[in-house]
Amino acid sequence: MTSVEPEKQPAIQMPSSVKSPITYTPQDIKIIKKVLNGYVGFANLPKQWHRKSVRRGFTFNIMAIGESGLGKATLINTLFNREIVNHRDDEETVEEDTEDKEGGVAVKIRSTKAEIEEDGVKLKVSVITAPGFGESINNTDYWKPIVDEINSRFDSYLEAECKINRSTIVDDRIHAFLYFIEPTGHSLRALDIAMMKLVHEKVNLIPIIAKSDTLTDDEIVEFKQRILADIAHQGIKIFTPEAPGDDDEETVSNTQSIIDTFPFAVVGSTKEVQTPDGRTVRGRQYPWGVIEVDNEAHNDFVKLRQLLIRNFLEELKEHTANVLYENYRTEKLKKMGIEQDSTVFREFDPLAKQQEERALHEAKLAKMEAEMKSVFQQKVSEKEKKLQRSEADLFARHKEMKDKLTKQIKILEEKKVQLEKQRSLPQEPMVQPAQQKTRKGFLR
Amino acid sequence: MPEPVGITSLPDQRYKIVSKEGATFTIMVAGESGLGKTTFINTLFQTSLKPHQDPTERHNKFQSAQETVEIGIVRAILEEKNFKIRLNIIDTPGFGNNVNNNDSWTPIIDFIDDQHESYMKQERQPLRTNKKDLRVHACLYFIRPTGHSLKPLDIEIMQRLSTRVNLIPVIAKADTLSPAELDTFKTRIREIIEAQDINIYTPPLELDDPASAEHAKQLIESMPFAIIGAEEEIEISPGKFSRGRKYPWGVVEVENDEHCDFKKLRSLLLRTNMLDLVLSTNEIHFENFRSTKLGADEEENEDELKEELTNEKGEVVKKPSITKKPRRLHNPKFKEEEDQLKKFFTEQVKAEEQRFRQWETNIINERNRLNQDLEEMQLKLKNLEEQIKKLQLAKR
Ligand SMILES: Nc1nc2c(ncn2[C@@H]2O[C@H](COP(=O)(O)OP(=O)(O)O)[C@@H](O)[C@H]2O)c(=O)[nH]1
Ligand SMILES: Nc1nc2c(ncn2[C@@H]2O[C@H](COP(=O)(O)OP(=O)(O)O)[C@@H](O)[C@H]2O)c(=O)[nH]1
C-alpha cells in the first residue's frame, strides 16, 4: 500500500526586503568655517567663565620638598603672606615613633591648609611638606613617602572619578612641586637628582635655590648654569610655561624672562625690616645690608610668585589635570589590564548609526527566522509522523483482517469443494455458474 | 601693608585659558517641520548654517534611501572677536510629519541618550584626550503658534526631554499672534508646563548680584520665548537695516523687544547663560544619566563584583565595565520587515495545515474504501457458509 500523503506545495519565497544587503559608506564630515562680523554674543563665554570662577573660588595644592632648614616654611609663608606652615622648632620635637628601625628619621607627610581672599577672589591653598626628608643617611627609602603621597592623591582622584556619584569630587592632586636645592654653589647632589627623577613625570617640578642670599651674584649665575646642565643631562622635566606667539608682546617677553630665570634663586622672609633709605620691606637684615624679598635685583622671589600664583597658577592646574594625571591614569588602567577601545571615539554619523541598527536588526530577523523555522519544522514533522502512523495502523489493521478473512474463506471454499465432491458421486451435480462468475468479479 | 598675594589675577588666568581653548556648544532644535527652526538658527548666528529642506524634493528618488535619517547635524567653527566655538546644530526633521506620531520622539530622546552614553564610554578609556562630544547643551522646542494650547504630543515630548537636557520651549513664528493672543498663549503654556511637571531650563538667580539677578528675572518672566526668524535684512528707515519680515502692513523686526523675545533668547543661549547651559549639562544632566546607567549596570553585575580591582594600597578601583545593552531600534521599516517575516511563516503554516487536512481526508477515504473491501469479503464468507449449510442439508 502506498501513502496517501498529499504532495507538498512549492516552497514560498522569503520576502525579498527582509534580505536586503548591507551597504555602508562612511560620510565625510563637513565643517562650516566662518568669521562673524556682527554681534552674536558667544564671544562672551570667557567673561562668563571669569564670573563663574570668582563665584566658585580657586584651589591650589603645592608640595614643598627639601632638607630641613632650607627655608621651606619661610618661603611658603612669604608667598602667601601668612603663617601657613609652622617652623620646625614649633613642632613636636622628634617623637620616638618617627625613628625607623635603622635609627634614621622617618619621613612624614604633613599637610596644612589656608584660605586667602583678596578683592572677592578666594583661594584655598593646601601645602604639603615632608619633614624628615634628607635627614637620615641610612634611610634609602627617604623618597618613598613622597612618591606614595603623590600617587595616592592621583589614585583617590581616579577612584572618585569612577564613582557613581561624583558631585563631591575634590581635587587633591599636587599642582606644583617646589624642590629646594641647598645653596652649595657646587652642583646637584645625587639625592636631588634621584628625588627629582622620581617625580618629574607626575608633578609640575619647580626647582629653586634656597637661601640664595648666601651666594654672590657670580656664584648664583654659575650655580644656575650647572644645575640646568645637570637637569638637561639627566633628562629631568621641569615645568615650563608656554609663551604662544599669539599673546601680546609684553606677556610673551615676561614669560620668557620667567623661563630665563630658572632655577629661581630665592630668599624668604615674612619679617619687615627697614632699609638704609628708610623703606619698610620684607627682607633679611644683615650688618652689611638688607636683602629685600620683593626686589628683583636681589633675588628671584617675584618671578617665582609670578610663575606659581600671579600668571600661571591656573596653567599649573590645567597641566596637572590634562597631562600629568591623564598619563598616570592611562598607565595605571593599562597595568590593570583595561584595554583601549578606540571605536568609541568615532564621530557621530547618523547614516553609520542607521547601518549599525540595520545590521542589528538583520541579526535579530535572522534569529527570529531560525527560531520560527525550527518550531515550524518540528511541528510539521510531528504532525507528519502522526499521520504516517495512523496511515500505517490503518493498513496494518486492514491487512490483518483481510488475511483472517481470506483464510476463513479459503477453509470454507475447500470445505465446499469437498462437500460438492461427495455429493456429485451419488447425486446430480448442482451447478450455479452465473453466481460463481459474479462472485469472482466481485473479488477482482 | 604687605604686598597682595596676587590671587585677583586668577579669574583673568581662567579667562585667558578659555579664550585660547574656545568652546564646544551643541544646540538641538526640535518641533514640527515648517516652524522656522532652520530660519531661527541662521538668524541666531547671522549666517546661513543650515540649508532649508526643499519642499519640492520630498518625493525625489533619494527619498527612499534617506527616509530614516532622522537626525541631522550641522557642524561649524565660528569665530567672533577672536573667540572660536565648535558649534553643532542638531536638527530633527521629519518629526510631526508622520501620520503615526506615537513614538516620533524616540529618535530625539535616543540621540540625547546616545551622546551621553558615548561620552561616558570615551571617558572610561585609558587614553581619552580626543573625546568627541555631542552632548546637547540646549534643546529648543518649537511650539506651533496655535493660540490655543499645547498638544498632547508636545507635552509628552517635553516631559521626556526635560529630564535629560536643558529644555527651552519657544513659541515659533510669533508674528502670527497679536500681543493679546500671545499673552494668553504664554500664560496657558506656563500653566501646563507647571501642571505637567515639565522641568524647563531657567537661568540661575544670583541674588548677591542684583544686576544679573534682574536680568535673569526678566528672562524667566518672558518664558516661553516668542520668536521670529528672518534671514533677510530689511531697510526699516532710510539707511537703517534690520533683520525682519516685511508685510504690506509693516515690518516685524527680529531684534526689537517690542516685537518678539529673540534678543532675550539670544542672551540666554549665548551672551549671559551659555556657560551655565554647558556646565549644567555636564554636571547635572550628564551626571544623572551616568549614575542611573552605572546604577543599573551595578545591579546587573551584582555577581560580578569580584571584578573590582584593587590598587597597591588595597583601595578598590572599579574596573570600568563596558555595558552591552540591547539597542532600541525604532526604524518603522524594521517593524514592517519583522511583520513580513511573521506573515511569511503564518502563510507557510497555513499551507501545511491545508496539506495535513487533505491528508487526513485521504486517510478517512482510504479507510472507508478498505472497510468496504472487508465487508465484501465478509459477505462472501457468509455466502460460502450458507452454501455449505445447504450442501450439508442436501446431503442428509
Ligand atoms: N639666610 C637665609 N635664611 C633663611 C631664609 N629663609 C629662611 N631662613 C632661615 O632658615 C631657618 C629655617 O627656616 P624654615 O623656613 O623653618 O626652614 P624649613 O625647615 O625648610 O621649613 C630659619 O631660621 C629661617 O629664618 C633665606 O632665604 N635665607
Ligand atoms: N511668519 C513667519 N514665518 C517664518 C518665521 N520663521 C520662518 N518662517 C518661514 O517658515 C518657513 C519654514 O521655515 P524653516 O526655517 O525652513 O522651518 P523648519 O522646517 O522648522 O526648519 C519658511 O518659509 C520661513 O521663511 C517666522 O518667525 N514667522
Side-chain angles (χ1 to χ4, degrees), chain A residues 261-402:
Chain A
T261 317
F262 284 172
F264 305 114
V266 294
V267 167
S269 172
T270 48
K271 293 204 185 71
E272 306 214 321
V273 292
Q274 291 283 320
T275 60
D277 54 2
R279 288 173 299 125
T280 309
V281 296
R282 294 196 295 183
R284 294 179 61 85
Q285 188 136 38
Y286 288 108
W288 49 91
V290 169
I291 177 159
E292 299 171 30
V293 167
D294 299 292
N295 187 334
E296 289 203 55
H298 291 192
N299 79 103
D300 303 331
F301 174 81
V302 170
K303 286 269 177 324
L304 172 66
R305 185 174 56 194
Q306 282 180 352
L307 182 76
L308 269 184
I309 303 167
R310 293 191 174 183
N311 297 7
F312 293 106
L313 184 145
E314 284 291 291
E315 206 68 70
L316 285 161
K317 291 185 65 178
E318 288 277 308
H319 194 250
T320 305
N322 299 339
V323 180
L324 301 168
Y325 170 69
E326 282 302 316
N327 290 344
Y328 177 88
R329 180 180 168 279
T330 306
E331 280 296 300
K332 171 134 193 158
L333 294 190
K334 289 209 164 140
K335 260 190 222 142
M336 285 165 81
I338 293 164
E339 278 185 34
Q340 179 82 8
D341 176 4
S342 304
T343 61
V344 301
F345 293 93
R346 263 179 313 180
E347 279 288 356
F348 181 84
D349 178 350
L351 256 177
K353 192 189 142 164
Q354 206 193 325
Q355 302 292 353
E356 240 170 65
E357 289 188 351
R358 157 129 321 258
L360 284 166
H361 165 68
E362 231 118 271
K364 189 181 157 195
L365 273 190
K367 202 176 152 224
M368 248 174 79
E369 193 190 333
E371 277 169 7
M372 289 197 291
K373 205 172 189 166
S374 105
V375 170
F376 174 73
Q377 282 170 344
Q378 196 198 328
K379 285 263 155 71
V380 165
S381 103
E382 270 170 22
K383 184 81 184 176
E384 273 176 349
K385 282 208 186 90
K386 199 178 146 209
L387 287 173
Q388 275 159 0
R389 229 184 358 259
S390 51
E391 214 178 83
D393 277 359
L394 174 66
F395 292 144
R397 244 193 348 262
H398 173 255
K399 189 172 181 291
E400 193 189 327
M401 291 285 283
K402 190 174 176 169

Side-chain angles (χ1 to χ4, degrees), chain B residues 47 96 105 129-130 203 207 245 263 269 315 337:
Chain B
T47 311
W105 40 264
T129 36
N130 227 337
L207 293 171
R245 297 178 59 84
K263 275 170 80 180
L269 282 176
E315 291 158 335
E337 289 177 9

Side-chain angles (χ1 to χ4, degrees), chain A residues 17 32 36 40 48 51 81 118 309-310 314 318 326 341 354 384 391 416 422 439 442-443, chain B residues 3-5 13-14 68 77 80 125 128 206 209 270-271 275 355 359 376 380 387 395:
Chain A
S17 67
I32 301 166
L36 304 180
V40 169
Q48 294 174 30
R51 259 174 62 89
N81 252 336
E118 279 174 2
I309 303 167
R310 293 191 174 183
E314 284 291 291
E318 288 277 308
E326 282 302 316
D341 176 4
Q354 206 193 325
E384 273 176 349
E391 214 178 83
K416 185 182 151 198
Q422 286 171 10
R439 269 182 208 154
F442 209 130
L443 287 166
Chain B
E3 263 207 58
V5 177
Q13 291 180 29
R14 184 98 311 257
T68 50
I77 295 179
E80 178 187 31
Q125 298 304 318
R128 55 176 181 178
E206 293 161 347
D209 182 342
L270 306 175
R271 295 185 187 182
L275 177 63
R355 188 168 74 90
W359 194 346
E376 279 168 18
K380 185 182 167 195
Q387 284 170 15
K395 198 179 159 191

Side-chain angles (χ1 to χ4, degrees), chain A residues 23-78:
Chain A
T23 48
Y24 170 51
T25 39
Q27 299 283 293
D28 280 339
I29 284 161
K30 260 189 292 176
I31 298 177
I32 301 166
K33 290 197 173 124
K34 212 149 200 174
V35 178
L36 304 180
N37 300 316
Y39 180 25
V40 169
F42 59 80
N44 250 358
L45 188 76
K47 245 185 233 159
Q48 294 174 30
W49 259 115
H50 187 284
R51 259 174 62 89
K52 193 72 162 192
S53 71
V54 173
R55 297 189 77 82
R56 290 196 167 180
F58 295 84
T59 63
F60 191 47
N61 306 325
I62 180 168
M63 197 166 201
I65 299 299
E67 275 174 62
S68 172
L70 283 183
K72 297 184 296 295
T74 311
L75 187 79
I76 293 291
N77 295 343
T78 312

